[in-house]
Amino acid sequence: MHITMIGSGYVGLVSGACFADFGHTVTCVDLNAEKIEALHNGEIPIYEPGLDLLVAENTRAGRLSFTTDLAPAVADADVVFIAVGTPSRRGDGHADLRYVYSAAADIARAMKGFTVVVTKSTVPVGTGDEVERIILETNPAADTAVVSNPEFLREGAAIEDFKRPDRIVVGLEDARARQVMEEVYRPLYLNQAPLLFTSRRTAELIKYAGNAFLAMKITFINEMADLCEKVGGDVQEVARGIGLDNRIGAKFLNAGPGYGGSCFPKDTLALVKTGQDHEAPQRLVETTVAVNDTRKRAMGRKVIAACGGSVRGKRIGILGLTFKPNTDDMRDAPSIAIVQALKDAGAVITAFDPEGMKAAREVIDGIEYGADAYDVADNADCLVLVTEWNQFRSLDFERLKTVMNGRVFVDLRNVYGRSDMERAGFDYHGVGRAASPVQDIDMSDAAE
Ligand SMILES: NC(=O)c1ccc[n+]([C@@H]2O[C@H](COP(=O)([O-])OP(=O)(O)OC[C@H]3O[C@@H](n4cnc5c(N)ncnc54)[C@H](O)[C@@H]3O)[C@@H](O)[C@H]2O)c1
């Protein structure tokens, strides 16, 4: 199959490289000439484990190429994927679809013969109808089928997720496209990954429903963590206690600083807007969004409380900035709000992230950047572990203590055990793990 990928970011580049690895001939297109130039020079514009090798191998084999020139790439293609960004629209939080619509018009002008156009970008229900309308309006002679094929990969494990997905969702209205999509995904289909065919609108909804559900699960355990802190419980044990129930499942039950990243914040918000527009308010998701928004800054206040109520003039070291480990993605990372809250309170901040420093410098200013964890700890009154990169999981406590000025350690990912940290001499603060049971719970109501 000849596949063209419009947009060569986190999703387009990974999908393109994986499709090439399946044996398809893939052209990745991007408007960003710098990105394409870098790819021509063998450089990967993002950090994603394993992607450099996959791109190099498939480029060498002649199955993967890169261009800024959309028209010839589309003319030659059996299938064109749209994998451009769909950020939150400034002002109202709806998904901003301008890149999708502009790609649809460009594709329409260039397509030759029957071409399946597949939206891989996360788009609100009904977008496929609009993409089809734009294509036919731009090029009334176009022979096309517009398909929805939402992507579920996770940054940091994107290749594994793409090659071994839990399921592949394909939403279509035209039977001709079904055969083409089966051919595109044949290698995975043979490996038994369920290929779930639905209507186009249903496929669009599945993506938002999935992300909203996961965001809700995270937010649930985060609120449970707050309760644990107040009443003397351990949220990790609560999570394990409920997660072992197969109906609930153990994943996405790690209490922390709130969800962030390039997907959950914008997708939950977009779903809320869609629900409101259609008079089917998604109240659980509305609350999830509101709770998560306040949580990130609240984590700043948690650090301030751990430092005795004031951080003015104190030195705080931040370990990890990206929204999760194994990515350089800083979009909507909780670290942004946490650092801002601490800066507002007068703290002097030094931060380090293994892969996210370049992206972080573009969104966080007024702080210093260190060379590693120990550099960040140098002279610090308090260390805050924000992103659980592996290299922060086995810190040398003795070395930290020799360079630190204070002993406060705020572990927003519950990487460490309280007793280990206290034994090592730290004033340890985790999330949802109370120091000792609170004695003064009034049980009188419960007895009635
Ligand atoms: N990042 C993830 O983990 C993830 C996972 C699942 C789904 N998604 C969804 O996939 C979509 C893409 O996300 P991303 O993280 O890859 O975004 P991204 O910003 O990394 O990449 C988008 C790319 O599209 C390019 N582009 C924009 N308009 C173009 C056009 N008309 N022609 C050619 N190129 C164009 C941009 O230059 C950019 O390089 C979004 O809808 C997102 O919600 C993302």
Side-chain angles (χ1 to χ4, degrees):
M1 289 250 134
H2 279 78
I3 295 177
T4 291
M5 193 65 61
I6 311 295
S8 307
Y10 287 86
V11 166
L13 191 53
V14 169
S15 315
C18 289
F19 280 141
D21 211 44
F22 295 167
H24 299 305
T25 304
V26 180
T27 309
C28 287
V29 180
D30 206 288
L31 286 177
N32 184 331
E34 245 175 70
K35 218 174 241 190
I36 295 301
E37 181 62 24
L39 287 161
H40 279 153
N41 294 331
E43 294 157 23
I44 306 295
I46 54 168
Y47 176 73
E48 179 60 47
L51 188 57
D52 47 357
L53 270 185
L54 199 69
V55 168
E57 274 169 25
N58 285 284
T59 311
R60 210 175 309 120
R63 290 190 296 264
L64 181 62
S65 58
F66 308 99
T67 181
T68 51
D69 197 359
L70 180 142
V74 167
D76 286 345
D78 304 300
V79 189
V80 180
F81 282 86
I82 300 177
V84 301
T86 49
S88 278
R89 192 160 65 192
R90 229 175 256 267
D92 67 2
H94 277 278
D96 185 347
L97 295 173
R98 79 178 97 158
Y99 306 105
V100 172
Y101 293 157
S102 142
D106 290 345
I107 294 166
R109 280 186 282 271
M111 62 169 51
K112 299 226 162 32
F114 177 60
T115 310
V116 177
V117 177
V118 187
T119 309
K120 203 165 237 330
S121 299
T122 303
V123 293
V125 60
T127 302
D129 303 9
E130 184 60 12
V131 166
E132 186 174 283
R133 194 194 62 74
I134 291 171
I135 291 175
L136 294 175
E137 184 185 82
T138 312
N139 176 0
D143 186 9
T144 189
V146 175
V147 172
S148 164
N149 171 219
E151 183 50 59
F152 298 98
L153 62 76
R154 294 164 302 164
E155 285 173 19
I159 294 169
E160 174 69 12
D161 283 354
F162 196 90
K163 291 194 166 181
R164 266 172 282 279
D166 294 334
R167 79 303 202 189
I168 301 154
V169 174
V170 178
L172 43 77
E173 308 295 331
D174 184 328
R176 291 178 300 169
R178 183 173 173 138
Q179 265 184 325
V180 174
M181 294 306 286
E182 276 173 349
E183 190 59 33
V184 164
Y185 281 109
R186 183 176 302 282
L188 295 183
Y189 194 51
L190 294 177
N191 282 342
Q192 307 293 312
L195 200 48
L196 179 66
F197 285 101
T198 68
S199 75
R200 198 163 57 198
R201 284 182 168 237
T202 300
E204 290 167 338
L205 282 169
I206 287 171
K207 176 65 194 173
Y208 281 97
N211 274 0
F213 195 87
L214 293 172
M216 210 164 66
K217 208 172 167 190
I218 294 171
T219 305
F220 174 85
I221 205 69
N222 282 342
E223 288 203 305
M224 197 52 68
D226 292 345
L227 183 59
C228 284
E229 285 178 12
K230 291 278 162 50
V231 300
D234 184 328
V235 75
Q236 285 184 300
E237 288 171 11
V238 172
R240 190 163 153 73
I242 61 172
L244 284 168
D245 183 331
N246 285 335
R247 294 168 302 176
I248 296 172
K251 292 182 179 164
F252 281 74
L253 285 179
N254 296 316
Y259 61 78
S262 63
C263 292
F264 286 1
K266 77 174 176 65
D267 293 346
T268 45
L269 197 55
L271 182 59
V272 162
K273 296 295 166 182
T274 301
Q276 288 167 354
D277 278 358
H278 294 274
E279 288 173 19
Q282 302 296 297
R283 282 184 286 256
L284 290 176
V285 187
E286 286 175 10
T287 303
T288 298
V289 170
V291 170
N292 194 66
D293 276 351
T294 54
R295 184 167 188 85
K296 298 179 195 173
R297 222 176 139 81
M299 291 297 113
R301 292 197 295 278
K302 182 182 176 73
V303 174
I304 295 169
C307 290
S310 169
V311 290
R312 185 153 304 279
K314 289 193 177 152
R315 298 192 68 92
I316 297 189
I318 305 282
L319 301 176
L321 292 165
T322 51
F323 81 98
K324 66 170 171 181
N326 295 325
T327 181
D328 58 348
D329 202 337
M330 279 296 296
R331 288 177 281 186
D332 268 317
S335 64
I336 300 170
I338 296 168
V339 166
Q340 189 62 52
L342 294 173
K343 271 198 317 184
D344 292 348
V348 181
I349 296 169
T350 308
F352 168 70
D353 187 279
E355 295 291 340
M357 305 272 265
K358 185 165 172 272
R361 282 194 167 91
E362 286 168 24
V363 286
I364 302 178
D365 58 8
I367 68 167
E368 289 167 30
Y369 288 92
D372 60 24
Y374 303 97
D375 194 21
V376 157
D378 192 26
N379 218 11
D381 297 292
C382 162
L383 272 185
V384 187
L385 199 162
V386 179
T387 314
E388 69 281 30
W389 285 88
N390 272 343
Q391 60 178 265
F392 302 146
R393 287 182 179 275
S394 50
L395 293 168
D396 180 340
F397 297 152
E398 289 309 313
R399 193 173 159 199
L400 283 182
K401 280 195 296 183
T402 53
V403 296
M404 280 178 77
N405 182 43
R407 289 287 176 268
V408 181
F409 193 106
V410 183
D411 178 3
L412 295 181
R413 299 290 180 172
N414 288 339
V415 164
Y416 291 103
R418 167 182 300 285
S419 48
D420 290 345
M421 290 299 277
E422 287 180 347
R423 217 175 302 123
F426 287 95
D427 174 11
Y428 178 79
H429 303 260
V431 175
R433 294 185 296 165
S436 57
V438 175
Q439 302 301 326
D440 61 350
I441 303 171
D442 181 358
M443 297 296 284
S444 51
D445 285 352
E448 281 169 13

